[in-house]
């Protein structure tokens, strides 16, 4: 993990990182990744359902699933508009205002 | 009149208010006085709500009209990531500075309907990322037992408030141990309910497959009363569960399992093991059967967590962009607006975790990290399932050591992560767990609290509460 990696991740995450923080961040991230990398050695015990390859990991990974509701019966339009827009840094009429996107 | 807050319980306060010994307003004032006296030093409450007198008077009316329930007039504090309409909420982050909640969280709605008096919002690690409350953008909270030490975290303010007699009970949130670890380090009781048993509508999300809201109080009876008030399925939270989701077997006296191999890990304090052995002896004296159990994959719970959590947090925290609410720092274009706002608004630990999240989810790494971690999580769940065929609850210490000094671990993220070692497996599996005080150890002339930690099968909070009452009654 070097300065360039940090810059790439920061770009993906939309977080501006000052130059002087990049070095210490890359060290922190390297330590953290070193620690979490321990799970690689769990592969032996992953063998409970047989050998686990990348593909199999994906299949067995995560029994948790999202529960979704039907997108219906909306509330009456506009009843929360003022409350919510009051929190927006910038608004124009009933819209949240952002800079031009081209 | 002087109310003895140290020995007060929710039940006693209820009886006293019912009998007219004091009013909810007088009780709230007694707590506000303690807060006024101690908060400058301990930094526990970030804000006292200015409508406390109004809330308390409303509770008074409920008593007069005979509508008062167990929680009416009870002064509580809420962690700063729980929304209360018309009141500030910041998750102790600069990025939410100035934000006012636009709706009530379900737990707050339930507390309010019950007539509880919400005194204010409690300090925490920014976005609940941390185990010491030192990551708050508003300064660390200090442990009331020893102000040179941390209260634990991330619900450090919630545990410290109860320990310092600043409220009768509080709400925290628990993603890896954030209710239980600070409860242990402050000498109070903290319950992490089954995943989905308490609605998270209106909780500022951290790790959505792990987060749970739960109560902290001085004793198990109070924790139970608050839990009864806030629990229940909620159509505003699609992950909340009906109470009968899991099969429920009749259990007489719970059989206790201890994963001894897990206690022998590096870094577990000798004094903790000694304290734990005493707790075990006591339970045996009380007639509990104790068996050894194996949780083979529990040792991977912390590393797997620090993959899954950053992944989920990096997605959940994408909403803080300077457009919809909170801080806005302008740049040349919209992308720069995002980057500058997030760069200025997030603290160091939040940045670390978002970057780790982006890394473990990125193409080429997601199999080795994220998918592998979710597979490991399933193995941990299977270990518990197997163990619960033999025993009814699983006992470990809550933490590997007592409260540490401010600054001791703050520059070593990995050392801080290991604070969760005994608590995080329950989050991976969604199991209910409780930390209760198990006495103190003497460190540098100070008696520091420790806790023991019970985990039960899904939706068996009843077992946790029963065995905890038994343990503490015979303290």
């Amino acid at each position: 993990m070097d300065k360039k990696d940090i810059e790439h991740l920061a770009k993906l995450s939309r977080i501006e990182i000052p130059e002087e923080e990049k070095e210490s961040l890359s060290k922190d991230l390297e330590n953290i990744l070193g620690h979490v990398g321990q799970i690689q050695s769990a592969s032996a015990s992953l063998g409970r359902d047989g050998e686990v390859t990348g593909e199999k990991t994906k299949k067995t990974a995560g029994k948790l699933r999202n529960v979704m509701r039907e997108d219906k019966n909306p509330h009456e339009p506009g009843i929360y508009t003022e409350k919510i827009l009051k929190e927006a840094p910038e608004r124009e009429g009933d819209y949240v205002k952002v800079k031009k996107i081209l | 009149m002087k109310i003895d807050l140290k020995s007060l319980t929710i039940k006693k306060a209820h009886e006293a208010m019912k009998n007219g010994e004091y009013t909810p307003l007088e009780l709230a004032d007694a707590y506000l006085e303690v807060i006024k006296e101690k908060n400058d030093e301990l930094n526990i409450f970030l804000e006292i709500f200015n409508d406390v007198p109004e809330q308390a008077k409303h509770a008074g009316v409920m008593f007069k009209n005979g509508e008062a329930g167990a929680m009416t007039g009870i002064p509580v504090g809420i962690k700063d990531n729980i929304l209360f309409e018309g009141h500030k909420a910041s998750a102790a982050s600069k990025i939410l500075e100035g934000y006012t909640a636009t709706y009530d969280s379900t737990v707050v709605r339930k507390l309010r309907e019950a007539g509880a008096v919400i005194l204010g919002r409690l300090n925490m690690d920014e976005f609940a990322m941390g185990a010491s409350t030192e990551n708050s953008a508003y300064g660390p909270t200090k442990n009331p037992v020893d102000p040179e030490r941390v209260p634990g975290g991330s619900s450090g303010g919630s545990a410290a408030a109860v320990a310092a007699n600043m409220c009768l009970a509080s709400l925290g949130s628990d993603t890896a141990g954030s209710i239980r670890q600070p409860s242990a380090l402050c000498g109070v009781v903290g319950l992490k309910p089954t995943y989905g048993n308490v609605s998270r509508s209106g909780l500022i999300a951290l790790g959505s497959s792990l987060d749970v809201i739960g109560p902290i109080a001085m004793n198990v009876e109070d924790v139970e009363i608050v839990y009864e008030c806030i629990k229940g399925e909620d159509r505003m939270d699609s992950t909340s569960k009906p109470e009968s989701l899991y099969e429920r077997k009749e259990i007489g006296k719970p059989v206790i399992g201890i994963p001894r191999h897990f206690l022998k890990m590096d870094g577990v304090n000798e004094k903790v093991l000694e304290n734990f052995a005493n707790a075990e002896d006591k339970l045996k004296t009380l007639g509990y059967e104790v068996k050894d159990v194996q949780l083979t994959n529990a040792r991977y719970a912390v590393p797997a967590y620090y993959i899954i959590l950053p992944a989920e947090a990096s997605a959940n925290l994408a909403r803080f962009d300077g457009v919809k609410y909170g801080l806005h720092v302008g740049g040349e274009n919209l992308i720069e607006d995002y980057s500058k706002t997030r760069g200025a608004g997030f603290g160091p630990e939040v940045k670390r975790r978002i970057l780790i999240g982006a890394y473990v989810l990125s193409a080429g790494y997601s199999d080795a990290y994220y998918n592998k971690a979710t597979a490991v999580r399933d193995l941990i769940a299977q270990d518990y399932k197997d163990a619960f065929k033999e025993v009814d609850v699983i006992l470990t210490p809550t933490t590997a050591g007592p409260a540490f000094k401010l600054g001791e671990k703050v520059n070593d993220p990995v050392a801080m992560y290991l604070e969760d070692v005994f608590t995080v497996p329950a989050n991976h599996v969604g199991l209910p767990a409780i930390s209760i005080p198990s006495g103190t150890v003497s460190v540098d002339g100070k008696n520091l609290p420790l806790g023991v930690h019970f985990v039960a099968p899904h939706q068996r909070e009843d077992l946790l509460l029963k065995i905890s009452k038994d343990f503490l009654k015979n303290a």
Side-chain angles (χ1 to χ4, degrees), chain B residues 197-321:
Chain B
N197 265 22
V198 176
S199 168
R200 302 176 300 175
S201 173
L203 172 73
I204 297 173
L206 171 59
S208 300
S209 74
L210 302 149
D211 296 340
V212 191
I213 296 174
I216 298 175
M218 274 298 195
N219 58 70
V220 183
E221 288 78 5
D222 288 357
V223 155
E224 184 173 14
I225 292 169
V226 180
Y227 173 61
E228 287 295 323
C229 176
I230 61 173
K231 71 175 188 182
E233 197 181 3
D234 178 19
R235 65 179 199 92
M236 298 303 285
D237 176 359
S238 67
T239 59
S240 71
K241 293 168 178 168
E243 232 176 310
S244 54
L245 189 66
Y246 296 93
E247 201 187 323
R248 201 178 176 87
K249 61 174 181 182
E250 274 306 316
I251 293 169
K253 195 149 190 153
V255 175
I256 299 168
I258 298 179
R260 296 198 190 276
H261 60 99
F262 192 34
L263 307 184
K264 287 183 191 134
M265 280 174 318
D266 287 348
V268 182
N269 190 307
E270 274 305 314
K271 287 176 177 171
V272 168
L273 293 175
E274 220 172 277
N275 179 275
F276 182 76
N278 291 338
E280 185 189 339
D281 285 346
K282 186 171 151 182
L283 286 159
K284 283 179 181 157
T285 311
L286 293 172
Y288 287 94
E289 186 188 346
V290 176
K291 283 185 184 175
D292 284 9
V293 289
Q294 290 290 320
L295 298 173
T296 316
N297 294 287
R299 67 179 187 277
Y300 298 118
V302 170
Y305 174 81
Y306 281 97
I307 292 168
I308 292 168
L309 185 278
E312 294 187 12
S314 69
N316 273 329
L317 271 62
R319 74 191 68 182
F320 302 103
D321 57 5

Side-chain angles (χ1 to χ4, degrees), chain B residues 25 42 147 226 242 388:
Chain B
L25 187 59
L42 301 175
V226 180
F388 284 134

Side-chain angles (χ1 to χ4, degrees), chain A residues 28 40 46 48 60 83 99, chain B residues 85 337 352 368 372 378:
Chain A
D28 286 346
Q40 303 314 332
L46 274 169
R48 202 173 279 205
T60 57
K83 256 189 214 171
K99 289 199 174 80
Chain B
E85 186 176 346
D337 283 9
R352 280 194 283 265
K372 184 64 179 275
D378 288 347

